[in-house]
Amino acid sequence: LGVALSLALPLAGVSAACSASEGAVGGAAPGSGTQGASGIGDPDFPEDGNGGYDVEHYGLKLSYDPASRRLSGSATVRARAVQDLTAFDLDLHGLTVSQVTVDGAAARFGRRDDELTISPVARIAKDARFDVTVDYAGVPDPIRNYANLGTYGFIATPDGSFVTCEPNGAKTWFPSNDHPSDKATYAFEITVPAGVTAIANGELAGTPATSDGRTTFVWRERHPMASYLATMTTGRFETRTGKSAAGTPVYAAVDPAFHGSLDTLYTKTGQITDYWSTVFGPYPFSSTGAVVDDYAAGYALENQTKPIYGGFTPDSGVMAHELAHQWFGDSVSITRWKDLWLNEGFATYAEWLWSEHEGGTTADTVFRNYYAKTADSMWSYPPGRAQRADLFNGSVYTRGAMTLHALRREIGDATFFALIKKWTASHQYGNATTEQFVGLAEQMSGKDLSGLFDAWLYQPRRPAAVI
Ligand code: ARG
Ligand code: ZN
């Protein structure tokens, strides 16, 4: 974090406080074509993310006080312009911005809905790298009841925060290009009252230091990460760290209410991570982990390197799902939300593979049992086109997984598992689309699979029986 932040320190002689102002949105001349778009181009989420630049790194230096629920600090966003820019947006929901600098010079900024529009004093040239520092504070307001998604984002808990951001809740705690198509590395420097643990993605840098009753945790995620996978979960936690049998560092943490779950959580996380490494390809990140908080979210989330379980002790099937997401969703990320089955269908299929691996129901039997449910609502929801109003529909999970099983039966085990490893290797740390998956499957099998994928992914009806 130190590097990113020091590069963005205001230049001597610039009086940021005097020249910055919270004024009207937009500094670009109308029609000049140098104002970055307010959305990254996802038709289902038109205001999510932003145009005109690509983020390379976020440096988040934040303090959180659970008693007052106040978050404060600064975010430094290092980006590369993909067009000339006289103004550009970051996504930010609520919170009060006190100052913005671009390459150390105070910049004008304005707020409209969840867009923070920044007008640097000098035009940024296409391809130039620039550092934006946003100083901000306030009581984070999570997203509630948006598109049938429950409560997500930065959620205050009695002892800290539960931070799960899929699909677009990163903007509730830091200014971001909040869309999975712009991945970046992260450094977190999180200060909390002594006795509180702050958990973010990646690995701890050094031992957390305490002074004046406050402890600072420095975490670094060196691999590109989608914004919705970033977390700063805080509170009272019991932790256990070590290495899996194959040597991957493991960080497990439980709220004291889940004291009895810690050892199993730790052990299973290492075992499942190691097993998936043999099935999906090498584990893509520098550590694995698990967090159980006592906030009853009703879901788990595959936060990169730190899957989080919201108020329940996960069974190994749920852990298998969240850890499979480290490959499918986290390392290989979707480009548009409509392709969400590439995350959820694969992670659900991983649950079936795990069940079979454990000597339980085989993947084939799970598939057949679902296929026999002729009246299930998933048949009317094509999983290859996740819908904005019902993004996490069960079809995206179950029928998505069934699509993979139908594919496996069509191309055979050897080609199917080679395809999966090739998929994770070719798009590691990047983004991909359904079309790319279909293309790779056809290339590796030498078969025309358009009928199979069309029936399973895109038709609002139950596909005809597969052999
Ligand atoms: N990706 C998560 C999972 O399947 C689900 C996240 C649900 N998000 C939400 N806002 N309800 O593991
Ligand atoms: Zn999932």
Side-chain angles (χ1 to χ4, degrees):
L1 188 72
V3 174
L5 288 173
S6 61
L7 283 175
L9 285 175
L11 299 172
V14 173
S15 174
C18 292
S19 50
S21 66
E22 183 146 8
V25 168
S32 71
T34 57
Q35 170 138 13
S38 64
I40 207 164
D42 191 326
D44 294 313
F45 298 87
E47 297 298 312
D48 284 9
N50 305 284
Y53 63 90
D54 185 66
V55 179
E56 295 178 344
H57 182 77
Y58 291 93
L60 306 178
K61 187 174 184 174
L62 298 169
S63 295
Y64 186 61
D65 175 40
S68 65
R69 301 185 163 197
R70 185 179 155 88
L71 178 72
S72 63
S74 72
T76 295
V77 182
R78 178 177 301 162
R80 187 180 58 81
V82 300
Q83 63 174 70
D84 283 358
L85 286 172
T86 52
F88 60 89
D89 283 6
L90 288 166
D91 300 311
L92 186 65
H93 176 80
L95 303 165
T96 300
V97 174
S98 54
Q99 175 174 298
V100 177
T101 64
V102 176
D103 289 332
R108 288 200 302 125
F109 61 92
R111 307 284 304 269
R112 178 180 44 81
D113 300 327
D114 289 351
E115 302 292 330
L116 166 65
T117 300
I118 296 168
S119 306
V121 285
R123 168 191 299 237
I124 299 166
K126 180 176 190 290
D127 294 327
R129 285 195 166 70
F130 60 100
D131 283 331
V132 186
T133 298
V134 179
D135 295 344
Y136 63 102
V139 176
D141 181 26
I143 312 284
R144 295 186 181 87
N145 305 321
Y146 169 77
N148 204 16
L149 291 167
T151 300
Y152 63 96
F154 190 108
I155 300 165
T157 60
D159 62 351
S161 56
F162 177 87
V163 181
T164 52
C165 299
E166 193 179 19
N168 53 10
K171 65 183 176 186
T172 68
W173 63 285
F174 65 99
S176 46
N177 199 21
D178 197 4
H179 190 276
S181 57
D182 187 2
K183 299 167 72 169
T185 56
Y186 284 70
F188 306 85
E189 191 177 317
I190 303 169
T191 300
V192 287
V196 173
T197 298
I199 304 166
N201 311 89
E203 296 79 51
L204 267 175
T207 306
T210 301
S211 71
D212 290 337
R214 286 157 38 103
T215 307
T216 298
F217 293 77
V218 178
W219 291 89
R220 291 208 176 89
E221 174 51 63
R222 293 179 173 81
H223 298 289
M225 179 166 73
S227 54
Y228 75 86
L229 299 168
T231 189
M232 60 162 285
T233 295
T234 63
R236 291 179 59 226
F237 282 101
E238 297 171 10
T239 64
R240 182 171 167 192
T241 59
K243 284 188 174 179
S244 73
T248 296
V250 182
Y251 181 99
V254 297
D255 184 283
F258 291 86
H259 170 79
S261 303
L262 180 59
D263 286 341
T264 304
L265 190 76
Y266 169 85
T267 304
K268 281 279 169 201
T269 294
Q271 286 171 351
I272 297 170
T273 301
D274 285 354
Y275 179 62
W276 285 154
S277 304
T278 70
V279 179
F280 303 144
Y283 182 65
F285 305 123
S286 302
S287 63
T288 185
V291 179
V292 179
D293 202 353
D294 68 344
Y295 174 76
Y299 56 81
L301 183 65
E302 61 268 24
N303 288 335
Q304 190 158 309
T305 69
K306 301 282 187 315
I308 189 164
Y309 305 96
F312 63 97
T313 297
D315 62 26
S316 58
V318 173
M319 296 175 70
H321 179 112
E322 303 309 330
L323 288 166
H325 272 308
Q326 303 304 305
W327 285 260
F328 309 108
D330 295 12
S331 173
V332 182
S333 300
I334 54 178
T335 307
R336 294 292 176 255
W337 284 107
K338 68 179 172 63
D339 289 347
L340 187 61
W341 84 281
L342 291 174
N343 296 3
E344 301 305 345
F346 283 59
T348 301
Y349 195 56
E351 288 179 53
W352 306 358
L353 295 175
W354 180 258
S355 164
E356 182 166 339
H357 172 69
E358 292 276 80
T361 313
T362 65
D364 197 62
T365 298
V366 179
F367 173 90
R368 286 170 190 279
N369 289 343
Y370 280 117
Y371 191 71
K373 295 176 192 279
T374 55
D376 198 282
S377 63
M378 71 179 149
W379 304 124
S380 62
Y381 185 120
R385 181 53 184 104
Q387 296 165 24
R388 176 204 168 108
D390 194 5
L391 203 56
F392 296 96
N393 185 284
S395 174
V396 177
Y397 289 68
T398 303
R399 197 172 147 187
M402 294 179 79
T403 302
L404 290 172
H405 193 70
L407 172 66
R408 177 179 168 188
R409 288 162 66 144
E410 178 67 26
I411 67 177
D413 279 15
T415 306
F416 178 80
F417 287 104
L419 166 66
I420 296 301
K421 282 186 169 157
K422 178 81 173 170
W423 178 246
T424 60
S426 326
H427 300 285
Q428 189 172 53
Y429 310 133
N431 292 88
T433 65
T434 301
E435 289 69 27
Q436 288 173 315
F437 182 72
V438 171
L440 188 63
E442 291 191 329
Q443 183 198 317
M444 290 184 69
S445 66
K447 288 188 168 187
D448 174 358
L449 300 167
S450 54
L452 183 148
F453 282 112
D454 182 61
W456 280 96
L457 291 178
Y458 299 118
Q459 294 304 318
R461 64 187 66 87
R462 182 170 171 266
V466 284
I467 304 150

